[in-house]
Amino acid sequence: MNSDSLLHRIFHLYYDGFRSMTLGKTLWAVILVKLFIIFAVLKLFFFPNFIGQHAEEGQEAEFVAGEMLGRNPQ
């Protein structure tokens, strides 16, 4: 079997499937909105730039190394 024809058939399978979707397009839109909320909005509120706020410019690696070595495991 020729690999070009196989790739061509796989591409057209997905292309035709996504083109003929009706409810699926709405579901993909919902998925993309949820991913945007998870990765963009939640990052702003729950994951602040701690290293950027506490380390000097250009000294981020030393700050992280000092924090890791300075902590005592319980």
Side-chain angles (χ1 to χ4, degrees), residues 18-69:
F18 282 115
R19 188 172 45 132
S20 63
M21 270 199 257
T22 55
L23 179 63
K25 290 179 184 177
T26 306
L27 294 176
W28 275 108
V30 169
I31 290 169
L32 292 176
V33 168
K34 287 173 72 174
L35 286 174
F36 174 76
I37 290 171
I38 289 170
F39 288 111
V41 175
L42 291 180
K43 183 188 180 314
L44 293 174
F45 295 112
F46 295 108
F47 303 108
N49 189 3
F50 185 80
I51 296 173
Q53 294 173 352
H54 292 88
E56 296 179 14
E57 186 73 27
Q59 302 296 322
E60 291 89 359
E62 288 82 7
F63 174 75
V64 172
E67 288 294 312
M68 290 178 67
L69 294 174

Short mmCIF file of all heavy atoms in Angstrom, two decimals, residues 18-69:
data_model
loop_
_atom_site.label_atom_id
_atom_site.label_comp_id
_atom_site.label_asym_id
_atom_site.label_seq_id
_atom_site.Cartn_x
_atom_site.Cartn_y
_atom_site.Cartn_z
N PHE A 18 -15.03 16.41 9.96
CA PHE A 18 -15.20 17.71 10.62
C PHE A 18 -16.06 18.65 9.80
O PHE A 18 -16.76 19.49 10.35
CB PHE A 18 -13.83 18.36 10.87
CG PHE A 18 -13.11 17.79 12.06
CD1 PHE A 18 -11.93 17.09 11.91
CD2 PHE A 18 -13.63 17.94 13.33
CE1 PHE A 18 -11.26 16.56 12.99
CE2 PHE A 18 -12.98 17.41 14.43
CZ PHE A 18 -11.79 16.72 14.26
N ARG A 19 -16.02 18.53 8.47
CA ARG A 19 -16.80 19.42 7.63
C ARG A 19 -18.29 19.14 7.76
O ARG A 19 -19.12 20.07 7.73
CB ARG A 19 -16.36 19.25 6.17
CG ARG A 19 -16.98 20.26 5.24
CD ARG A 19 -16.36 20.15 3.88
NE ARG A 19 -16.25 18.75 3.49
CZ ARG A 19 -16.62 18.28 2.31
NH1 ARG A 19 -17.12 19.09 1.40
NH2 ARG A 19 -16.47 17.01 2.02
N SER A 20 -18.66 17.89 7.94
CA SER A 20 -20.07 17.54 8.00
C SER A 20 -20.65 17.56 9.42
O SER A 20 -21.80 17.22 9.62
CB SER A 20 -20.29 16.16 7.38
OG SER A 20 -19.61 15.18 8.14
N MET A 21 -19.86 17.96 10.40
CA MET A 21 -20.35 18.01 11.78
C MET A 21 -21.33 19.16 11.98
O MET A 21 -21.15 20.23 11.41
CB MET A 21 -19.18 18.24 12.75
CG MET A 21 -18.53 17.03 13.24
SD MET A 21 -17.61 17.41 14.73
CE MET A 21 -15.98 17.45 14.12
N THR A 22 -22.31 18.93 12.81
CA THR A 22 -23.20 20.03 13.20
C THR A 22 -23.08 20.24 14.71
O THR A 22 -22.66 21.29 15.15
CB THR A 22 -24.66 19.73 12.81
OG1 THR A 22 -25.03 18.48 13.37
CG2 THR A 22 -24.81 19.67 11.30
N LEU A 23 -23.43 19.24 15.49
CA LEU A 23 -23.32 19.34 16.93
C LEU A 23 -21.86 19.31 17.37
O LEU A 23 -21.47 19.96 18.33
CB LEU A 23 -24.08 18.18 17.60
CG LEU A 23 -24.04 18.13 19.13
CD1 LEU A 23 -24.69 19.37 19.70
CD2 LEU A 23 -24.72 16.88 19.63
N GLY A 24 -21.03 18.62 16.64
CA GLY A 24 -19.62 18.51 16.98
C GLY A 24 -18.90 19.84 16.98
O GLY A 24 -18.01 20.08 17.80
N LYS A 25 -19.26 20.72 16.07
CA LYS A 25 -18.64 22.05 16.03
C LYS A 25 -18.94 22.83 17.30
O LYS A 25 -18.07 23.51 17.84
CB LYS A 25 -19.11 22.82 14.80
CG LYS A 25 -18.57 22.27 13.51
CD LYS A 25 -19.07 23.05 12.32
CE LYS A 25 -18.59 22.42 11.03
NZ LYS A 25 -19.11 23.10 9.85
N THR A 26 -20.15 22.71 17.78
CA THR A 26 -20.51 23.38 19.03
C THR A 26 -19.75 22.79 20.20
O THR A 26 -19.24 23.52 21.06
CB THR A 26 -22.03 23.25 19.28
OG1 THR A 26 -22.71 23.73 18.13
CG2 THR A 26 -22.45 24.02 20.50
N LEU A 27 -19.62 21.48 20.22
CA LEU A 27 -18.89 20.83 21.30
C LEU A 27 -17.41 21.21 21.27
O LEU A 27 -16.80 21.43 22.32
CB LEU A 27 -19.06 19.32 21.22
CG LEU A 27 -20.47 18.80 21.47
CD1 LEU A 27 -20.53 17.29 21.26
CD2 LEU A 27 -20.93 19.17 22.86
N TRP A 28 -16.81 21.30 20.08
CA TRP A 28 -15.41 21.73 19.98
C TRP A 28 -15.26 23.17 20.45
O TRP A 28 -14.26 23.52 21.08
CB TRP A 28 -14.90 21.59 18.55
CG TRP A 28 -14.40 20.22 18.27
CD1 TRP A 28 -14.99 19.27 17.50
CD2 TRP A 28 -13.20 19.62 18.79
NE1 TRP A 28 -14.24 18.12 17.50
CE2 TRP A 28 -13.13 18.31 18.28
CE3 TRP A 28 -12.19 20.06 19.63
CZ2 TRP A 28 -12.09 17.45 18.59
CZ3 TRP A 28 -11.15 19.20 19.93
CH2 TRP A 28 -11.11 17.92 19.41
N ALA A 29 -16.25 24.02 20.17
CA ALA A 29 -16.19 25.40 20.65
C ALA A 29 -16.23 25.44 22.18
O ALA A 29 -15.49 26.20 22.81
CB ALA A 29 -17.34 26.21 20.06
N VAL A 30 -17.07 24.60 22.78
CA VAL A 30 -17.14 24.53 24.24
C VAL A 30 -15.81 24.05 24.82
O VAL A 30 -15.32 24.59 25.81
CB VAL A 30 -18.31 23.61 24.68
CG1 VAL A 30 -18.26 23.31 26.15
CG2 VAL A 30 -19.64 24.24 24.31
N ILE A 31 -15.22 23.04 24.19
CA ILE A 31 -13.93 22.53 24.66
C ILE A 31 -12.87 23.60 24.58
O ILE A 31 -12.08 23.79 25.51
CB ILE A 31 -13.53 21.28 23.83
CG1 ILE A 31 -14.44 20.11 24.17
CG2 ILE A 31 -12.08 20.92 24.07
CD1 ILE A 31 -14.30 18.93 23.24
N LEU A 32 -12.81 24.35 23.49
CA LEU A 32 -11.80 25.40 23.34
C LEU A 32 -12.00 26.53 24.35
O LEU A 32 -11.02 27.06 24.90
CB LEU A 32 -11.81 25.94 21.91
CG LEU A 32 -11.32 24.95 20.85
CD1 LEU A 32 -11.47 25.55 19.46
CD2 LEU A 32 -9.89 24.54 21.12
N VAL A 33 -13.24 26.89 24.63
CA VAL A 33 -13.50 27.93 25.64
C VAL A 33 -13.07 27.44 27.02
O VAL A 33 -12.44 28.19 27.78
CB VAL A 33 -15.00 28.33 25.63
CG1 VAL A 33 -15.35 29.18 26.83
CG2 VAL A 33 -15.32 29.06 24.34
N LYS A 34 -13.37 26.20 27.34
CA LYS A 34 -12.96 25.65 28.63
C LYS A 34 -11.44 25.60 28.76
O LYS A 34 -10.89 25.91 29.81
CB LYS A 34 -13.56 24.26 28.83
CG LYS A 34 -15.05 24.28 29.11
CD LYS A 34 -15.64 22.90 29.12
CE LYS A 34 -15.22 22.16 30.36
NZ LYS A 34 -15.90 20.85 30.49
N LEU A 35 -10.74 25.22 27.70
CA LEU A 35 -9.28 25.21 27.74
C LEU A 35 -8.72 26.61 27.92
O LEU A 35 -7.75 26.81 28.64
CB LEU A 35 -8.72 24.57 26.47
CG LEU A 35 -8.85 23.06 26.38
CD1 LEU A 35 -8.40 22.57 25.02
CD2 LEU A 35 -8.06 22.39 27.49
N PHE A 36 -9.33 27.59 27.27
CA PHE A 36 -8.90 28.97 27.44
C PHE A 36 -9.07 29.40 28.89
O PHE A 36 -8.18 30.01 29.48
CB PHE A 36 -9.68 29.91 26.52
CG PHE A 36 -9.38 31.35 26.78
CD1 PHE A 36 -8.19 31.90 26.33
CD2 PHE A 36 -10.26 32.15 27.48
CE1 PHE A 36 -7.90 33.23 26.58
CE2 PHE A 36 -9.99 33.47 27.73
CZ PHE A 36 -8.79 34.02 27.28
N ILE A 37 -10.20 29.07 29.49
CA ILE A 37 -10.44 29.43 30.88
C ILE A 37 -9.43 28.75 31.79
O ILE A 37 -8.86 29.38 32.68
CB ILE A 37 -11.88 29.06 31.29
CG1 ILE A 37 -12.87 29.98 30.58
CG2 ILE A 37 -12.06 29.15 32.80
CD1 ILE A 37 -14.31 29.57 30.74
N ILE A 38 -9.17 27.48 31.56
CA ILE A 38 -8.23 26.75 32.41
C ILE A 38 -6.83 27.32 32.32
O ILE A 38 -6.19 27.59 33.33
CB ILE A 38 -8.24 25.25 32.06
CG1 ILE A 38 -9.55 24.62 32.50
CG2 ILE A 38 -7.07 24.53 32.71
CD1 ILE A 38 -9.75 23.21 31.98
N PHE A 39 -6.33 27.52 31.10
CA PHE A 39 -4.93 27.89 30.95
C PHE A 39 -4.67 29.38 31.02
O PHE A 39 -3.57 29.79 31.38
CB PHE A 39 -4.38 27.34 29.63
CG PHE A 39 -4.20 25.86 29.67
CD1 PHE A 39 -5.01 25.04 28.92
CD2 PHE A 39 -3.24 25.28 30.47
CE1 PHE A 39 -4.85 23.66 28.95
CE2 PHE A 39 -3.07 23.91 30.52
CZ PHE A 39 -3.88 23.11 29.76
N ALA A 40 -5.61 30.22 30.71
CA ALA A 40 -5.36 31.66 30.71
C ALA A 40 -5.90 32.33 31.97
O ALA A 40 -5.15 33.00 32.69
CB ALA A 40 -5.99 32.29 29.46
N VAL A 41 -7.16 32.15 32.24
CA VAL A 41 -7.79 32.88 33.34
C VAL A 41 -7.33 32.35 34.69
O VAL A 41 -6.96 33.12 35.58
CB VAL A 41 -9.33 32.81 33.21
CG1 VAL A 41 -10.01 33.45 34.39
CG2 VAL A 41 -9.77 33.48 31.92
N LEU A 42 -7.35 31.03 34.89
CA LEU A 42 -6.95 30.48 36.17
C LEU A 42 -5.49 30.74 36.48
O LEU A 42 -5.11 30.91 37.64
CB LEU A 42 -7.24 28.98 36.22
CG LEU A 42 -8.73 28.61 36.25
CD1 LEU A 42 -8.88 27.11 36.30
CD2 LEU A 42 -9.43 29.25 37.42
N LYS A 43 -4.63 30.80 35.46
CA LYS A 43 -3.22 31.08 35.68
C LYS A 43 -3.04 32.48 36.26
O LYS A 43 -2.21 32.70 37.13
CB LYS A 43 -2.43 30.97 34.38
CG LYS A 43 -0.94 31.19 34.61
CD LYS A 43 -0.21 31.25 33.30
CE LYS A 43 1.26 31.47 33.47
NZ LYS A 43 1.67 32.47 34.40
N LEU A 44 -3.83 33.41 35.81
CA LEU A 44 -3.73 34.78 36.32
C LEU A 44 -4.04 34.87 37.81
O LEU A 44 -3.41 35.63 38.54
CB LEU A 44 -4.67 35.70 35.56
CG LEU A 44 -4.33 35.93 34.09
CD1 LEU A 44 -5.44 36.73 33.44
CD2 LEU A 44 -3.00 36.63 33.95
N PHE A 45 -5.02 34.08 38.27
CA PHE A 45 -5.48 34.21 39.64
C PHE A 45 -4.81 33.24 40.62
O PHE A 45 -4.63 33.56 41.78
CB PHE A 45 -6.99 34.02 39.71
CG PHE A 45 -7.74 35.09 38.99
CD1 PHE A 45 -8.43 34.82 37.83
CD2 PHE A 45 -7.72 36.40 39.45
CE1 PHE A 45 -9.12 35.81 37.16
CE2 PHE A 45 -8.39 37.40 38.79
CZ PHE A 45 -9.09 37.11 37.64
N PHE A 46 -4.46 32.04 40.17
CA PHE A 46 -3.98 31.03 41.09
C PHE A 46 -2.50 30.71 40.98
O PHE A 46 -1.97 30.02 41.82
CB PHE A 46 -4.78 29.74 40.91
CG PHE A 46 -6.23 29.90 41.29
CD1 PHE A 46 -7.21 29.92 40.32
CD2 PHE A 46 -6.58 30.05 42.62
CE1 PHE A 46 -8.54 30.07 40.67
CE2 PHE A 46 -7.91 30.20 42.98
CZ PHE A 46 -8.88 30.21 42.00
N PHE A 47 -1.84 31.16 39.95
CA PHE A 47 -0.42 30.86 39.76
C PHE A 47 0.36 32.15 39.51
O PHE A 47 0.74 32.44 38.38
CB PHE A 47 -0.23 29.88 38.59
CG PHE A 47 -0.99 28.61 38.76
CD1 PHE A 47 -2.10 28.35 38.00
CD2 PHE A 47 -0.59 27.68 39.70
CE1 PHE A 47 -2.81 27.17 38.16
CE2 PHE A 47 -1.28 26.51 39.87
CZ PHE A 47 -2.40 26.25 39.09
N PRO A 48 0.62 32.92 40.55
CA PRO A 48 1.35 34.17 40.36
C PRO A 48 2.82 33.91 40.02
O PRO A 48 3.34 32.82 40.24
CB PRO A 48 1.23 34.86 41.71
CG PRO A 48 1.05 33.75 42.68
CD PRO A 48 0.27 32.68 41.94
N ASN A 49 3.48 34.92 39.51
CA ASN A 49 4.89 34.81 39.14
C ASN A 49 5.74 35.02 40.38
O ASN A 49 6.30 36.08 40.61
CB ASN A 49 5.23 35.84 38.06
CG ASN A 49 6.60 35.64 37.49
OD1 ASN A 49 7.31 34.70 37.87
ND2 ASN A 49 6.98 36.51 36.59
N PHE A 50 5.85 33.97 41.21
CA PHE A 50 6.53 34.05 42.49
C PHE A 50 8.02 34.33 42.32
O PHE A 50 8.60 35.16 43.01
CB PHE A 50 6.34 32.75 43.28
CG PHE A 50 6.91 32.78 44.65
CD1 PHE A 50 6.22 33.38 45.69
CD2 PHE A 50 8.15 32.23 44.92
CE1 PHE A 50 6.74 33.43 46.97
CE2 PHE A 50 8.69 32.26 46.19
CZ PHE A 50 7.98 32.87 47.22
N ILE A 51 8.65 33.64 41.38
CA ILE A 51 10.09 33.82 41.17
C ILE A 51 10.37 35.21 40.64
O ILE A 51 11.32 35.87 41.07
CB ILE A 51 10.64 32.74 40.22
CG1 ILE A 51 10.49 31.37 40.87
CG2 ILE A 51 12.09 33.00 39.86
CD1 ILE A 51 10.84 30.22 39.96
N GLY A 52 9.55 35.69 39.74
CA GLY A 52 9.74 37.03 39.19
C GLY A 52 9.59 38.12 40.24
O GLY A 52 10.21 39.18 40.14
N GLN A 53 8.77 37.88 41.24
CA GLN A 53 8.56 38.88 42.28
C GLN A 53 9.63 38.84 43.36
O GLN A 53 9.91 39.86 43.98
CB GLN A 53 7.19 38.66 42.94
CG GLN A 53 6.03 38.92 42.02
CD GLN A 53 4.71 38.53 42.65
OE1 GLN A 53 4.67 37.92 43.73
NE2 GLN A 53 3.62 38.85 41.99
N HIS A 54 10.25 37.69 43.60
CA HIS A 54 11.18 37.56 44.71
C HIS A 54 12.65 37.48 44.30
O HIS A 54 13.52 37.65 45.14
CB HIS A 54 10.82 36.32 45.55
CG HIS A 54 9.52 36.48 46.26
ND1 HIS A 54 8.32 36.14 45.70
CD2 HIS A 54 9.24 36.96 47.49
CE1 HIS A 54 7.34 36.38 46.56
NE2 HIS A 54 7.87 36.88 47.67
N ALA A 55 12.93 37.20 43.06
CA ALA A 55 14.32 37.09 42.61
C ALA A 55 14.70 38.34 41.83
O ALA A 55 13.87 38.99 41.20
CB ALA A 55 14.49 35.86 41.73
N GLU A 56 15.98 38.66 41.88
CA GLU A 56 16.48 39.79 41.11
C GLU A 56 16.59 39.39 39.65
O GLU A 56 16.70 38.22 39.32
CB GLU A 56 17.84 40.22 41.65
CG GLU A 56 17.80 40.75 43.07
CD GLU A 56 19.17 41.13 43.57
OE1 GLU A 56 20.10 41.24 42.75
OE2 GLU A 56 19.31 41.30 44.79
N GLU A 57 16.60 40.38 38.79
CA GLU A 57 16.71 40.15 37.35
C GLU A 57 18.02 39.43 37.02
O GLU A 57 19.09 39.88 37.38
CB GLU A 57 16.67 41.49 36.60
CG GLU A 57 16.63 41.37 35.11
CD GLU A 57 15.30 40.90 34.58
OE1 GLU A 57 14.27 41.13 35.25
OE2 GLU A 57 15.30 40.28 33.51
N GLY A 58 17.93 38.29 36.35
CA GLY A 58 19.09 37.52 35.97
C GLY A 58 19.58 36.55 37.04
O GLY A 58 20.51 35.79 36.81
N GLN A 59 18.99 36.58 38.22
CA GLN A 59 19.42 35.71 39.32
C GLN A 59 18.35 34.67 39.69
O GLN A 59 18.34 34.17 40.81
CB GLN A 59 19.73 36.57 40.56
CG GLN A 59 20.79 37.63 40.34
CD GLN A 59 22.13 37.01 40.02
OE1 GLN A 59 22.51 35.99 40.57
NE2 GLN A 59 22.85 37.62 39.09
N GLU A 60 17.49 34.35 38.74
CA GLU A 60 16.38 33.44 39.03
C GLU A 60 16.88 32.03 39.37
O GLU A 60 16.35 31.38 40.27
CB GLU A 60 15.42 33.37 37.84
CG GLU A 60 14.63 34.66 37.62
CD GLU A 60 15.34 35.65 36.72
OE1 GLU A 60 16.48 35.35 36.26
OE2 GLU A 60 14.78 36.72 36.48
N ALA A 61 17.89 31.55 38.65
CA ALA A 61 18.39 30.19 38.89
C ALA A 61 18.99 30.07 40.28
O ALA A 61 18.78 29.07 40.98
CB ALA A 61 19.41 29.81 37.83
N GLU A 62 19.73 31.07 40.69
CA GLU A 62 20.33 31.05 42.02
C GLU A 62 19.25 31.12 43.11
O GLU A 62 19.37 30.48 44.15
CB GLU A 62 21.32 32.21 42.20
CG GLU A 62 22.60 32.05 41.41
CD GLU A 62 22.46 32.48 39.97
OE1 GLU A 62 21.39 33.03 39.59
OE2 GLU A 62 23.39 32.23 39.18
N PHE A 63 18.21 31.87 42.86
CA PHE A 63 17.10 31.95 43.82
C PHE A 63 16.43 30.59 44.00
O PHE A 63 16.18 30.15 45.12
CB PHE A 63 16.07 32.99 43.35
CG PHE A 63 14.84 33.04 44.20
CD1 PHE A 63 14.86 33.64 45.44
CD2 PHE A 63 13.65 32.47 43.76
CE1 PHE A 63 13.73 33.67 46.23
CE2 PHE A 63 12.52 32.50 44.54
CZ PHE A 63 12.56 33.11 45.78
N VAL A 64 16.16 29.91 42.88
CA VAL A 64 15.51 28.60 42.94
C VAL A 64 16.43 27.60 43.64
O VAL A 64 15.97 26.82 44.50
CB VAL A 64 15.13 28.11 41.53
CG1 VAL A 64 14.63 26.67 41.57
CG2 VAL A 64 14.06 29.02 40.94
N ALA A 65 17.71 27.60 43.30
CA ALA A 65 18.65 26.68 43.93
C ALA A 65 18.73 26.94 45.43
O ALA A 65 18.75 26.00 46.24
CB ALA A 65 20.03 26.81 43.30
N GLY A 66 18.77 28.19 45.83
CA GLY A 66 18.83 28.53 47.25
C GLY A 66 17.57 28.11 47.99
O GLY A 66 17.64 27.62 49.12
N GLU A 67 16.43 28.27 47.37
CA GLU A 67 15.17 27.85 47.99
C GLU A 67 15.09 26.33 48.12
O GLU A 67 14.63 25.83 49.14
CB GLU A 67 13.98 28.35 47.17
CG GLU A 67 13.73 29.85 47.27
CD GLU A 67 13.30 30.25 48.67
OE1 GLU A 67 12.41 29.59 49.24
OE2 GLU A 67 13.86 31.22 49.20
N MET A 68 15.57 25.63 47.12
CA MET A 68 15.50 24.16 47.18
C MET A 68 16.49 23.60 48.21
O MET A 68 16.17 22.66 48.93
CB MET A 68 15.79 23.57 45.80
CG MET A 68 14.68 23.82 44.81
SD MET A 68 15.04 23.18 43.20
CE MET A 68 15.03 21.44 43.51
N LEU A 69 17.68 24.17 48.28
CA LEU A 69 18.67 23.67 49.21
C LEU A 69 18.41 24.12 50.64
O LEU A 69 18.81 23.47 51.58
CB LEU A 69 20.07 24.11 48.76
CG LEU A 69 20.56 23.51 47.47
CD1 LEU A 69 21.88 24.14 47.06
CD2 LEU A 69 20.67 22.01 47.57
#
